[in-house]
Amino acid sequence: MSNSVIERALAEGKAVEVSAGELGYLRVYDDLKGIPRGTVVFDGNVVVYGYPHIGRVTALARGLGEQFQAPFWVEEKIDGYNVRIVRVGERVLALTRGGFVCPFTTDRLPDLMSLAVFEDCPELVVCAEVAGPENPYNEASPPFVAEDVRLFVFDLMRVGSPGFIPYGEKQALLERYGLPAVECFGRYTADDLEAIGAILVRLSEEGREGVVFKEDSPRDHRAKYTTAAACIQDLRVGAQVLLDLPPEYFVNRLLQLAVFVEEHGLEEARLLGEAVGAALLEGLQDAIRLQRSEQKVLRRYRCRLRSAEAAERLIEHLARETGHQVQVLARDLRREQGYWVLEFDRVYPSTSGTLNSLLGGRLSFD
């Protein structure tokens, strides 16, 4: 990325200079002609490209043939949050999808993966998902992460390059350095629909999110696919803050769910329909109970950090990242079993305001 591109990004209002403590960097917050959102520039010349957008295939039978020109790998899509891990000078940092230095993940990196890979490969960018019930971003987590958080590597990049390291080289590096990785289910073609469908139905039955298809070719085309269970989980989580989310959030998940049920011939379609209704109703009931007890609709988070300073930076980061849409309130910070345990709330103003009005006896007009 040349200086002229950086200057153009700043001039067009698609990049901004930010800081994380004493570390300053440039963050691209909107796509710019081949430069994806989330791209970060350190010291004017250390470029970490943003993770590219990956489209979703909904109708598997037609979608695989339409999208893929060669065999593809099928990897698990983990229900967590995306980070890119990179060495900058003597520090190893974790960057969020939007291009912020993540205080939480950066603080916890020594617990989550071996950092020795950066001694031998300082130009490496590790793309991973962090997931678990004690993360500061997401409400849901994979069923196989019972506490705290874990990290799952799914791609490798290099500093200064927007592309991914080839699949075989990636797998060799993961094995050599013992890096935790997402599960790979194998290499398939679009004709292997029955085998792929069986994997997806099993993942849904186990409450797992879905898969990412990665073409085994120089163009390295990708597409993601979501299970029925993930759609229902998202609907329940979304219903709790119904008025703080766009309608598309619910429409897209209902469409994905309906196509999944129809395409995989699930006999328990009626039961899934009941699960959808229960998810929406229970989510709204949770919101009502919270409004009555707390006078606001909120979500409470708990996460473990290695330092109190990182906890303070995390609260500042969350407040900056969410802006005025969601209020972030720290509740408690205490020492527990070798970690600093941070508890905080996210308060959702639109849902809170509407429920406050309705439960307060005010009239509403359809």
Side-chain angles (χ1 to χ4, degrees):
M1 186 189 296
S2 66
N3 287 334
S4 62
V5 174
I6 295 173
E7 291 169 2
R8 190 173 83 244
L10 288 167
E12 294 184 12
K14 294 189 175 182
V16 63
E17 294 179 353
V18 294
S19 63
E22 298 178 355
L23 178 67
Y25 58 96
L26 183 78
R27 168 181 167 259
V28 178
Y29 60 84
D30 198 3
D31 293 337
L32 177 69
K33 297 180 180 177
I35 302 172
R37 169 184 174 270
T39 296
V40 170
V41 184
F42 296 99
D43 300 325
N45 58 6
V46 179
V47 182
V48 182
Y49 278 87
Y51 196 84
H53 304 288
I54 297 179
R56 187 185 308 277
V57 62
T58 300
L60 203 64
R62 291 293 299 274
L64 292 179
E66 287 285 330
Q67 293 300 319
F68 296 102
Q69 303 169 2
F72 46 82
W73 297 96
V74 181
E75 289 186 345
E76 181 165 12
K77 185 178 185 299
I78 300 291
D79 194 356
Y81 65 90
N82 178 302
V83 292
R84 285 158 292 146
I85 302 160
V86 61
R87 180 172 175 172
V88 180
E90 297 303 313
R91 301 175 60 185
V92 180
L93 306 172
L95 306 175
T96 67
R97 187 69 180 262
F100 291 104
V101 173
C102 174
F104 172 75
T105 317
T106 299
D107 174 83
R108 291 296 307 277
L109 278 176
D111 299 335
L112 301 177
M113 63 174 280
S114 169
L115 303 183
V117 64
F118 295 107
E119 296 297 325
D120 296 339
C121 309
E123 81 290 350
L124 204 64
V125 179
V126 176
C127 305
E129 201 82 357
V130 179
E134 296 180 49
N135 84 85
Y137 298 107
N138 296 345
E139 293 71 40
S141 65
F144 47 82
V145 184
E147 63 178 4
D148 199 12
V149 292
R150 288 169 56 189
L151 180 143
F152 303 87
V153 181
F154 52 80
D155 276 314
L156 297 176
M157 303 168 70
R158 288 190 171 91
V159 171
S161 175
F164 297 112
I165 289 177
Y167 202 90
E169 185 180 349
K170 177 192 79 170
Q171 293 299 97
L173 284 168
L174 294 181
E175 292 176 12
R176 184 185 310 165
Y177 292 98
L179 298 177
V182 299
E183 183 174 354
C184 177
F185 300 107
R187 187 173 180 269
Y188 296 89
T189 71
D191 294 328
D192 297 320
L193 193 61
E194 184 176 350
I196 295 169
I199 292 169
L200 293 167
V201 170
R202 175 174 64 83
L203 291 179
S204 186
E205 291 172 347
E206 294 173 0
R208 294 156 75 175
E209 186 179 18
V211 300
V212 178
F213 304 107
K214 299 180 177 181
E215 189 171 274
D216 191 11
S217 72
R219 75 170 189 151
D220 195 18
H221 185 56
R222 281 114 185 279
K224 56 189 177 183
Y225 186 87
T226 305
T227 66
C231 293
I232 293 171
Q233 172 68 14
D234 283 352
L235 289 170
R236 193 193 190 290
V237 169
Q240 189 178 8
V241 292
L242 180 75
L243 300 175
D244 288 272
L245 293 173
E248 293 80 11
Y249 176 95
F250 299 94
V251 172
N252 290 340
R253 283 155 180 80
L254 287 169
L255 284 172
Q256 292 162 29
L257 175 60
V259 174
F260 188 100
V261 171
E262 186 273 336
E263 193 164 45
H264 295 288
L266 298 185
E267 296 179 0
E268 66 272 22
R270 182 181 60 81
L271 296 177
L272 286 173
E274 293 174 359
V276 170
L280 293 170
L281 184 58
E282 288 169 5
L284 286 168
Q285 287 177 316
D286 286 346
I288 292 168
R289 283 190 286 266
L290 279 167
Q291 185 66 41
R292 291 191 189 279
S293 62
E294 304 282 346
Q295 287 72 57
K296 52 184 172 286
V297 176
L298 57 86
R299 286 188 175 133
R300 190 152 293 162
Y301 296 78
R302 177 187 189 274
C303 53
R304 311 176 197 185
L305 297 105
R306 296 160 64 91
S307 74
E309 293 77 11
E312 294 170 1
R313 290 196 300 271
L314 175 60
I315 291 296
E316 293 172 1
H317 163 70
L318 293 170
R320 177 178 57 181
E321 188 180 41
T322 56
H324 299 294
Q325 297 175 339
V326 178
Q327 187 179 11
V328 178
L329 301 174
R331 292 182 58 86
D332 188 30
L333 179 63
R334 63 185 181 275
R335 192 75 172 158
E336 188 177 290
Q337 297 181 338
Y339 287 97
W340 288 94
V341 175
L342 172 67
E343 292 184 356
F344 66 92
D345 294 339
R346 277 196 177 97
V347 180
Y348 294 84
S350 294
T351 306
S352 298
T354 298
L355 286 180
N356 181 60
S357 176
L358 294 176
L359 298 177
R362 296 179 179 87
L363 295 175
S364 63
F365 296 90
D366 298 328

